[in-house]
Structure formats: C-alpha cells, structure tokens
Amino acid sequence: MKRTHLFVVAVYLLSSCRAEEGLSFPTYDGKDRVVSLTEKNFKQVLKKYDLLCLYYHEPVSSDKVAQKQFQMKEIVLELVAQVLEHKDIGFVMVDAKKEAKLAKKLGFDEEGSLYVLKGDRTIEFDGEFAADVLVEFLLDLIEDPVEIINSKLEVQAFERIEDHIKLIGFFKSEDSEYYKAFEEAAEHFQPYIKFFATFDKGVAKKLSLKMNEVDFYEPFMDEPIAIPDKPYTEEELVEFVKEHQRPTLRRLRPEDMFETWEDDLNGIHIVAFAERSDPDGYEFLEILKQVARDNTDNPDLSIVWIDPDDFPLLVAYWEKTFKIDLFKPQIGVVNVTDADSVWMEIPDGDDLPTAEELEDWIEDVLSGKINTEDDDSEDEEDEEDDDDNDDDDDNSDEGDDDSDDDDD
Amino acid sequence: MKRTHLFVVAVYLLSSCRAEEGLSFPTYDGKDRVVSLTEKNFKQVLKKYDLLCLYYHEPVSSDKVAQKQFQMKEIVLELVAQVLEHKDIGFVMVDAKKEAKLAKKLGFDEEGSLYVLKGDRTIEFDGEFAADVLVEFLLDLIEDPVEIINSKLEVQAFERIEDHIKLIGFFKSEDSEYYKAFEEAAEHFQPYIKFFATFDKGVAKKLSLKMNEVDFYEPFMDEPIAIPDKPYTEEELVEFVKEHQRPTLRRLRPEDMFETWEDDLNGIHIVAFAERSDPDGYEFLEILKQVARDNTDNPDLSIVWIDPDDFPLLVAYWEKTFKIDLFKPQIGVVNVTDADSVWMEIPDGDDLPTAEELEDWIEDVLSGKINTEDDDSEDEEDEEDDDDNDDDDDNSDEGDDDSDDDDD
C-alpha cells in the first residue's frame, strides 16, 4: 500500500532498561502487515486467513490533521497485526472512494468503521479504537462461540457473570441438532453476547434446565427467562435475542461503547456513574440493580452504567462536559446530540438516594418533567424565569452553569 | 523544554465522524504542558501543584530508536497532563545527566522511572507506561488515603475485594489520634494498598473489629490477621504492612507489574495464567486459592496470577516466549533473567489438576526438582541424556522445543 511516513511508531513502550525478562510490551517493528484491499486481491486475501479485519476509511485527504488521525489508526492496526501475527488474522484497508464497488459488495456503509469477516459473517467493531481493546476483541472472536460448562465450579463462574447478557442451553451432546442450531445462533452475536451450554445432567439440574431448553439472562437479573417453545431453530434463537437485546441496566464496555451510545431512547440516555471497586459506587450500583429489577418490564427504560475505572481517559472529559464530580456516584440524563445534561442532586456518597427516590426521579425523566432543556432556557433568559420549572428539586444545581468555555 | 518534533500525536483517537456526543476520547492538542525541571525552577514548580509527576530519564541520545522511544514517552506524558489539566498535577522531565545534582537530592536512582512527589512523600510508579494506566494511578493518588465504610452494603463491597491487600480499622472518630496514625500509615502505601476505616459500631461488629484494632487481609484469604498490640503508632502499622507485603497468591496488576516481577524469589516466579471471566480459568483460580490458603504460612511461596484479560497486548508475546496456549489455564516456573520456563502438563481445561496435584508440583518446584534448566541441558546434549531427569512427568512437554526463532 502507498504509505505515508510513520514517524513515531510504538503506542506501548518497551521498558528497555530492565534486567528482568518476561514482561516486554510490544513496540511496532516497522514492518508493513496491513495491506490495501482491491477487487483484484480480494479473493486471494480472503482465502488466506480465518479472520479478515477490514478498516473501511474515507479517502485520505490533504488535510494535515485528518492525515495524522489516519496515520494513528494505521499504527494501531499495524501494532495489532504484529501482536497477532501468528493467529491467522489478516488486516486490510478499504478506501471508500477507490474501492466503492467492493465496499458496496461487502455491505460496508459507515466510513471509519472496522469490520471483521469470519466465514460468511460480517461483524462490525464499534468500540474504542485502541490496540488493547482490538486485540482482545479479535482473540474473543477466534475462540469457540459456545463455552461448555462441565462442573459445579464452572456453574459458579457462569453465575458470577452478571453485567452482560448470557444464554445457556442443555443438550444431549455436541452432535445434537439442537446444539448445532444453538452454536450457529451464537455465532451471530460473538463476541458481544456469551453463549454457554452443558451436556451434564447435574449442571442442568443445578440451573433448572430441561433438555433442549435455552435460558436467557438479562444483565443484573437473578432469574432467567426460558425461551419459549423448545426445541428451537437457529432463526428462532437469533430473533429472541435480538428482541431482548436492550436490557434495563447495561454496562458501557470499551468493545461496543459506540454501539451502545447510538442505541439511545428518544435522543437521550439515562447515565449512571458508579465505580464498582469503591464502597459508595458499589452501594449505588446495588441500588441501581434494585431499580432495574423492579422495572425490568418497562421497555422505555435502559440505564447505561459507566464504571469510570473502565475509561480513565474519559473521566476528566466527562467531568468537564457534564459538570459533575466523578469521585462520587452520579445519575443523570444526557442528550446524545449535544451532550447537554441534568444530574440528580446527590449530596455525597454517604447520602445516596434510595431505590424509591431513584424510581421517582426516573419517572420524572421518562415523563419529560426532568429534561435537559429546561435549565438551558433558564440560562438564556438570565434565570429570570426560575418558576418555569414547577418542581422543587428535580433538577440538579450542577446543570445551572452552562458556559461552554469554562477554562480554569 | 527543548523539544524534538512530535509528528504523530494522538494515542487514543477521536472518532470524529459520529453524530453523537458524550464519548469523545481525547487527542493530544499539541500544547506543551510537560516542562524540564532544573535546580532553578524546582521550588517554584513544586509549590504550584498538589502532586508533581517526574519522569527521570537518561540523556536523550543521538540514536534514532532511543529518540523515538523517548518521544513516545513524552507524548504519553503530554496526553496525561492534558487529560488531567484541571486536577492540579504538575508534569516534569528530569534529565539524569544535566540535573544529576537535583536527582540525587530527590533520591532518584533508576533512570527511566516515573516518580510522584506528594507532600514529603516520593512514590515510584513501576507499572505499564500507558496513558490510561497512568491517569488511573494519579486519580487514585489524589483521593483520600483512607476509605470510610458506613453501611452494610459498603461492608459487602469491602468483602468483595479479594485480589489485593486491604486493611481496615475501627476508630472512635476522625479526630481520634489512632485514626490519624492509621491515615498517615495509609499514605505510605497509597495507591497500591487500600486502607479502610469505620466509625460505626454496627459495621465494626459485622467485621469483628474491636476499638482501635486494625485487621490485615492477605489477598484471597477469608480470615484477616488482627495486627497485634493495639493501639498502634504510624511506624508500627507501616512496619507490619511491609513485613506482610508479599502474599502467597498475588495478582499481576498493570499499575505495579514491574515491581511485582522484580520481587522474584531466588530468580524465579511461579506464574499461573487464568482468565477469571472464563469458566475454566475461574475454576483454576479457585484451585489456586485453595492451594494458597493451605500454604499461607510458607514464606518461600508467592504465586503470581496473571489474568490475560488485563494484558491483551502481552498474550501473544507470552504464548511465544513461554511456548504455551493461553486459551486454557497454565501454571509454570519462569526464570526472570532469561524468561526460560517449564510448565505443568494440563491436558485441557476440562481436566485441571486438583489442589493436591498442584501442591505436589509446587513442592517439586520449591525443592528444585522441577526447574527451568533441566530441559535446556537436554536440548544442548541433543536429548541423549533423557534420564538426567529422574521424574516421570514433572516437566511439561512444551518445554522441549526450545528453538528461539520459531517463525511460523
């Protein structure tokens, strides 16, 4: 591929002056592993790998900033390609203008997206474009789509997973046609949704699973839903999962954060910040789970939980954008078009709202009583119209200061 | 500071073409925030910030590779400085040659290290030199050194923390002199070791804490050790923690991975790989915990547990260096000088060793019966001396292939 110079190469650095061996972070070695895909080399490249990772990009412009951003994406991809060199994964670039025909054939529509071809499936990566996140995503994709649960300890491991959707089915054996349908269904959602299976009667009993039954677990819910009308075809399973894919409480994850964010409800997200490793944050998350359990049947409610520990580089950005302190738990409404927001007033971590108070607040959000626009109009009218807002304390004080260039 | 050109700037990229707002990763804006520290500006700079972050580096050489590595560290620091701009943290470079006198005064001895000055303390950062890890480390450092536990839910949160050392004390109030000693002691270990306290009788009762008592929890142990001879001075607490700082089972963490690795026992580490989010990995970790609990009094045993999920960029490197498959649990002995290693034979994830089998294997490692050298000599002598090794199956097969340039 035609390559602009890559001056600075390594994103993660080798700590080169240490005597010990065993922990050497990779540095980009400068070799070109990412190739440009064309109609001519497409078939040959595709045949060569189990997995093909395609970066679908707009034509590189003459704009310097855009060029640098493109170079950085290239470097991230080159580093990922280097790190996974022995894993049989190909990495290519697809120029949206030059290869428009090919892109159309592949069904690519969003420039700047990363797609992965695996067999006859196309998987879109819509997460943080960072080498570590990408590597983990790809490693998860080359694992088996279904994880087998064999023992009581593994049941414990299965039960501990609470912060994303999981499914488990009980089948006679790996050769069962119903297991095969389950496996095919799993491939539609790999690596975002985890599918488990067991062939062990004891395990099935522990999980109250009947033969050929598949249970669907919504995040943070104790009880699963048994998918009705077993046994199922692949299509029935896929359809059920798609219908139930938006949970009442969901965790923002680096590997699909943008997809989650794009899945807003009427242009807003209810966002809760809680650091699970912190006692206040843990407590707040427990309250959120309670609220989610009480409201699991409300299709209009989907709270996005963000653990600041998962996004260290965004903490200061969020504090500035939303004008909140992330050393304590927070819950608010965010308008996804302009990131305008209002936040519930939580005096401090020792005085968290109860589940009931939270539910009242959420009700006010869903009814529009609390919204991100009211405080804006107050600002515009120089706060003369304070009584526009006929509630006592449904808006946080922190929404009042709305200046955009607060620079101190 | 004299600055070489920084051509490529952003480590984490703004996804610029999205319509949604609220998740913008920072890109380095090109402003210089990291300054060179000299004897002349030292006092002034120090006075200006709550926290001062110093990168102590060898003189920038004329070697191109070294220059690029230095530039990358600079960019990481600049990005961290930008992200934390409003947090009152200063960032400086200290040239080991030009500022030798100043460095000596500050007690810096290892070039390439990052130090943080907070009040009269110097904290060394010995973790992964990546922007996200550094930001989290610094955010943890500006929090209060002691976390207060007020409620039953917070006790649950406290109890859930099992993979690093934690301490908790019960005191009359924040004004208690014993609490103050505890707080001072906490500052010695912040942010690596977490200190908790409670002023609540109910919480103290739940944790079986007497007034002014401090309990020390080793990672993965159910029962704490009550530190003897309460009440304690700051020095007594610090001394106790230092004496008990090397646990029987410890998790490798990005924020202090190099420090952990340097703390080897006779040049070796017993290393266990287990992915906690995977059922096999979870099961293996449970077995490891059992082994650790049974052997907690053995000062010669400290197993380093690595969750591959914490280090996506190192997975392929480890698989290549150690010649193992990290899709399943592994345990082995690693020589830290040359990364030579031998691994226990584990047929697959469904057939994990029992705690007893693991203990026998560990005993053979500690006695030297299993070691990283035996298979080397076999190799050197073209495997004619197979019987050197008087055990049946204490060495893994995977140690046999020792070629260094296995390139496929």
Side-chain angles (χ1 to χ4, degrees):
Chain A
M1 73 196 284
K2 194 176 165 285
R3 169 175 295 274
T4 43
H5 286 289
L6 299 176
F7 292 99
V8 176
V9 290
V11 176
Y12 289 80
L13 292 163
L14 179 70
S15 287
S16 51
C17 55
R18 294 175 194 281
E20 287 82 13
E21 287 292 328
L23 297 184
S24 302
F25 279 93
T27 45
Y28 174 45
D29 60 12
K31 250 197 241 176
D32 288 355
R33 292 176 181 85
V34 182
V35 298
S36 287
L37 198 69
T38 60
E39 281 201 89
K40 212 176 149 195
N41 66 9
F42 174 61
K43 276 201 179 154
Q44 188 200 348
V45 170
L46 194 65
K47 215 166 49 188
K48 212 170 148 190
Y49 301 102
D50 289 344
L51 227 64
L52 190 61
C53 188
L54 309 99
Y55 178 49
Y56 175 58
H57 62 89
E58 54 186 1
V60 185
S61 75
S62 53
D63 174 59
K64 279 215 162 170
V65 173
Q67 271 180 15
K68 277 177 190 170
Q69 291 204 340
F70 180 73
Q71 281 174 22
M72 278 308 302
K73 293 223 176 188
E74 247 188 320
I75 293 173
V76 169
L77 281 179
E78 285 288 3
L79 185 65
V80 172
Q82 174 187 327
V83 161
L84 297 178
E85 190 157 31
H86 301 282
K87 292 287 185 188
D88 217 12
I89 304 175
F91 292 84
V92 300
M93 300 277 203
V94 182
D95 187 302
K97 198 173 163 198
K98 279 192 217 150
E99 301 300 335
K101 214 172 135 193
L102 180 61
K104 202 180 162 195
K105 188 169 136 194
L106 290 166
F108 295 173
D109 49 9
E110 198 179 346
E111 287 173 21
S113 284
L114 199 78
Y115 296 93
V116 179
L117 302 188
K118 186 187 177 187
D120 48 10
R121 277 187 65 216
T122 304
I123 303 126
E124 190 177 345
F125 173 80
D126 215 0
E128 181 183 347
F129 205 101
D132 50 351
V133 179
L134 261 170
V135 167
E136 203 172 344
F137 173 83
L138 292 167
L139 288 176
D140 283 349
L141 255 182
I142 54 177
E143 280 199 81
D144 293 333
V146 178
E147 184 84 45
I148 308 300
I149 302 289
N150 293 304
S151 68
K152 276 191 186 161
L153 265 177
E154 292 188 2
V155 173
Q156 262 184 40
F158 170 78
E159 284 173 337
R160 278 183 76 248
I161 301 168
E162 60 155 18
D163 56 9
H164 42 86
I165 294 171
K166 62 188 177 187
L167 289 96
I168 187 162
F170 173 36
F171 305 98
K172 200 160 173 231
S173 75
E174 274 193 45
D175 303 323
S176 148
E177 59 174 308
Y178 305 117
Y179 174 67
K180 282 184 178 142
F182 183 71
E183 211 176 10
E184 299 275 333
E187 284 180 0
H188 287 259
F189 302 98
Q190 195 185 5
Y192 296 118
I193 296 181
K194 302 271 180 241
F195 281 60
F196 299 85
T198 189
F199 310 120
D200 181 292
K201 274 186 195 167
V203 167
K205 204 179 158 195
K206 220 172 160 348
L207 292 166
S208 315
L209 273 171
K210 295 197 178 60
M211 180 63 74
N212 295 327
E213 182 185 298
V214 173
D215 281 3
F216 176 95
Y217 288 75
E218 190 184 327
F220 308 107
M221 299 299 149
D222 294 325
E223 292 303 318
I225 310 168
I227 300 182
D229 306 323
K230 72 179 168 70
Y232 331 93
T233 61
E234 174 191 346
E235 292 70 31
E236 285 166 346
L237 287 168
V238 170
E239 202 186 328
F240 186 91
V241 175
K242 282 194 175 160
E243 257 172 42
H244 292 76
Q245 213 166 351
R246 185 195 285 152
T248 312
L249 177 60
R250 47 184 166 174
R251 178 180 192 158
L252 194 73
R253 306 184 296 180
E255 66 265 35
D256 55 3
M257 54 191 295
F258 294 112
E259 195 183 321
T260 302
W261 202 249
E262 278 168 30
D263 181 37
D264 54 75
L265 286 94
N266 304 316
I268 62 157
H269 274 303
I270 295 182
V271 176
F273 286 99
E275 192 182 335
R276 179 146 48 173
S277 69
D278 177 275
D280 293 338
Y282 176 86
E283 189 176 352
F284 193 56
L285 182 62
E286 288 299 312
I287 300 168
L288 283 171
K289 284 191 223 170
Q290 192 50 54
V291 171
R293 284 178 197 133
D294 293 347
N295 295 277
T296 182
D297 295 325
N298 183 346
D300 294 330
L301 182 64
S302 182
I303 302 168
V304 177
W305 162 44
I306 302 179
D307 189 330
D309 279 353
D310 292 330
F311 305 95
L313 291 179
L314 289 178
V315 169
Y317 159 76
W318 281 322
E319 289 191 329
K320 216 184 158 195
T321 306
F322 300 145
K323 300 180 185 73
I324 51 175
D325 168 13
L326 287 185
F327 277 148
K328 61 176 198 179
Q330 299 281 0
I331 188 165
V333 198
V334 177
N335 180 325
V336 296
T337 356
D338 57 5
D340 193 10
S341 63
V342 283
W343 299 85
M344 190 178 189
E345 203 168 346
I346 301 178
D348 65 74
D350 297 341
D351 198 6
L352 295 173
T354 62
E356 291 71 36
E357 286 165 344
L358 256 187
E359 282 180 45
D360 288 346
W361 183 88
I362 287 169
E363 218 167 86
D364 285 350
V365 170
L366 296 182
S367 73
K369 223 175 187 178
I370 297 179
N371 64 66
T372 58
E373 306 307 320
D374 281 2
D375 61 336
D376 297 357
S377 64
E378 279 173 33
D379 272 15
E380 281 160 23
E381 298 162 30
D382 244 330
E383 306 206 18
E384 282 169 18
D385 263 345
D386 250 344
D387 289 326
D388 256 358
N389 211 324
D390 53 4
D391 281 85
D392 302 324
D393 54 3
D394 55 359
N395 271 343
S396 152
D397 288 347
E398 284 158 302
D400 287 342
D401 174 11
D402 217 9
S403 68
D404 273 325
D405 41 16
D406 142 15
D407 256 334
D408 55 340
Chain B
M1 74 193 286
K2 194 177 163 289
R3 170 175 294 274
T4 44
H5 287 288
L6 300 177
F7 292 98
V8 176
V9 290
V11 177
Y12 289 81
L13 293 163
L14 179 69
S15 288
S16 50
C17 55
R18 293 175 194 281
E20 285 84 12
E21 286 293 328
L23 298 183
S24 302
F25 279 93
T27 44
Y28 175 44
D29 61 11
K31 250 197 240 175
D32 288 355
R33 291 176 182 84
V34 182
V35 299
S36 287
L37 198 69
T38 61
E39 282 202 88
K40 215 176 147 195
N41 66 8
F42 175 62
K43 276 200 180 154
Q44 189 201 346
V45 170
L46 194 64
K47 218 167 45 190
K48 213 170 145 190
Y49 301 102
D50 289 344
L51 227 66
L52 191 61
C53 187
L54 309 99
Y55 178 50
Y56 176 57
H57 62 90
E58 54 185 2
V60 185
S61 76
S62 53
D63 175 60
K64 279 215 162 173
V65 174
Q67 271 181 13
K68 278 178 189 170
Q69 292 204 341
F70 179 72
Q71 281 174 22
M72 279 307 302
K73 294 223 176 189
E74 248 187 321
I75 292 174
V76 169
L77 282 180
E78 286 287 3
L79 184 65
V80 172
Q82 174 187 327
V83 161
L84 298 177
E85 190 156 32
H86 302 282
K87 293 287 186 189
D88 217 11
I89 305 174
F91 292 84
V92 300
M93 300 276 204
V94 183
D95 187 302
K97 199 174 165 198
K98 280 192 215 150
E99 302 299 334
K101 217 172 133 193
L102 180 61
K104 203 180 162 194
K105 189 169 134 195
L106 290 166
F108 295 173
D109 49 10
E110 199 181 343
E111 287 173 22
S113 284
L114 198 78
Y115 296 93
V116 179
L117 301 188
K118 185 190 178 185
D120 49 9
R121 279 187 64 214
T122 304
I123 303 126
E124 189 176 345
F125 173 80
D126 216 359
E128 181 184 347
F129 205 101
D132 50 352
V133 179
L134 261 170
V135 166
E136 202 172 345
F137 174 82
L138 292 167
L139 287 176
D140 283 348
L141 255 183
I142 53 177
E143 280 199 83
D144 293 334
V146 178
E147 183 85 43
I148 308 301
I149 301 288
N150 293 306
S151 68
K152 276 190 186 162
L153 266 176
E154 292 188 3
V155 172
Q156 263 185 38
F158 170 79
E159 283 173 338
R160 278 183 75 247
I161 302 167
E162 60 156 18
D163 57 7
H164 42 85
I165 295 172
K166 62 187 176 187
L167 289 95
I168 187 162
F170 173 36
F171 304 97
K172 199 157 174 238
S173 75
E174 274 193 44
D175 303 322
S176 147
E177 60 174 307
Y178 305 118
Y179 174 67
K180 281 183 179 143
F182 183 70
E183 211 176 9
E184 300 275 334
E187 284 180 359
H188 287 259
F189 302 99
Q190 195 186 6
Y192 296 118
I193 296 181
K194 302 270 180 242
F195 281 60
F196 298 84
T198 190
F199 310 120
D200 180 292
K201 274 185 193 168
V203 167
K205 205 179 158 196
K206 217 171 160 352
L207 292 166
S208 315
L209 274 171
K210 294 196 179 61
M211 180 61 74
N212 295 325
E213 182 185 297
V214 173
D215 281 4
F216 175 95
Y217 287 76
E218 190 183 326
F220 308 107
M221 299 298 150
D222 294 325
E223 291 303 318
I225 311 168
I227 301 182
D229 307 323
K230 71 178 170 71
Y232 330 95
T233 61
E234 173 190 347
E235 292 71 30
E236 284 166 347
L237 286 168
V238 170
E239 203 186 327
F240 186 92
V241 175
K242 282 194 175 159
E243 258 172 39
H244 292 76
Q245 214 167 350
R246 185 194 287 151
T248 311
L249 178 60
R250 47 185 164 173
R251 178 180 193 158
L252 194 72
R253 305 183 296 179
E255 66 266 35
D256 55 2
M257 55 190 294
F258 295 111
E259 194 183 322
T260 302
W261 202 249
E262 278 168 30
D263 181 37
D264 55 74
L265 286 94
N266 305 314
I268 62 157
H269 274 303
I270 296 181
V271 175
F273 286 100
E275 193 183 334
R276 180 146 46 174
S277 70
D278 177 275
D280 293 339
Y282 176 86
E283 187 175 354
F284 193 57
L285 182 63
E286 287 299 312
I287 300 168
L288 282 171
K289 285 191 222 171
Q290 192 50 52
V291 171
R293 284 178 196 132
D294 292 347
N295 294 278
T296 181
D297 295 327
N298 184 346
D300 295 329
L301 182 63
S302 182
I303 302 167
V304 177
W305 163 44
I306 302 180
D307 189 331
D309 279 352
D310 292 331
F311 304 96
L313 291 179
L314 289 178
V315 169
Y317 159 78
W318 280 324
E319 288 191 330
K320 213 182 162 195
T321 307
F322 299 145
K323 301 181 185 71
I324 51 176
D325 168 12
L326 287 184
F327 277 148
K328 61 177 197 179
Q330 299 281 0
I331 188 165
V333 199
V334 177
N335 181 324
V336 296
T337 354
D338 56 7
D340 193 10
S341 63
V342 282
W343 298 85
M344 189 177 190
E345 203 167 346
I346 301 178
D348 65 75
D350 298 340
D351 198 6
L352 296 173
T354 62
E356 293 69 38
E357 286 165 346
L358 256 188
E359 281 180 46
D360 289 346
W361 182 89
I362 287 168
E363 218 168 85
D364 286 350
V365 170
L366 296 182
S367 73
K369 223 175 185 178
I370 296 178
N371 64 67
T372 59
E373 307 307 320
D374 281 2
D375 60 337
D376 298 356
S377 63
E378 279 174 30
D379 271 13
E380 280 159 25
E381 296 162 32
D382 245 331
E383 308 206 18
E384 282 169 18
D385 263 343
D386 251 342
D387 288 326
D388 256 359
N389 210 324
D390 53 6
D391 281 85
D392 302 325
D393 55 0
D394 54 358
N395 271 343
S396 150
D397 287 346
E398 286 156 303
D400 286 342
D401 174 12
D402 218 9
S403 68
D404 273 327
D405 40 15
D406 142 17
D407 257 336
D408 54 340

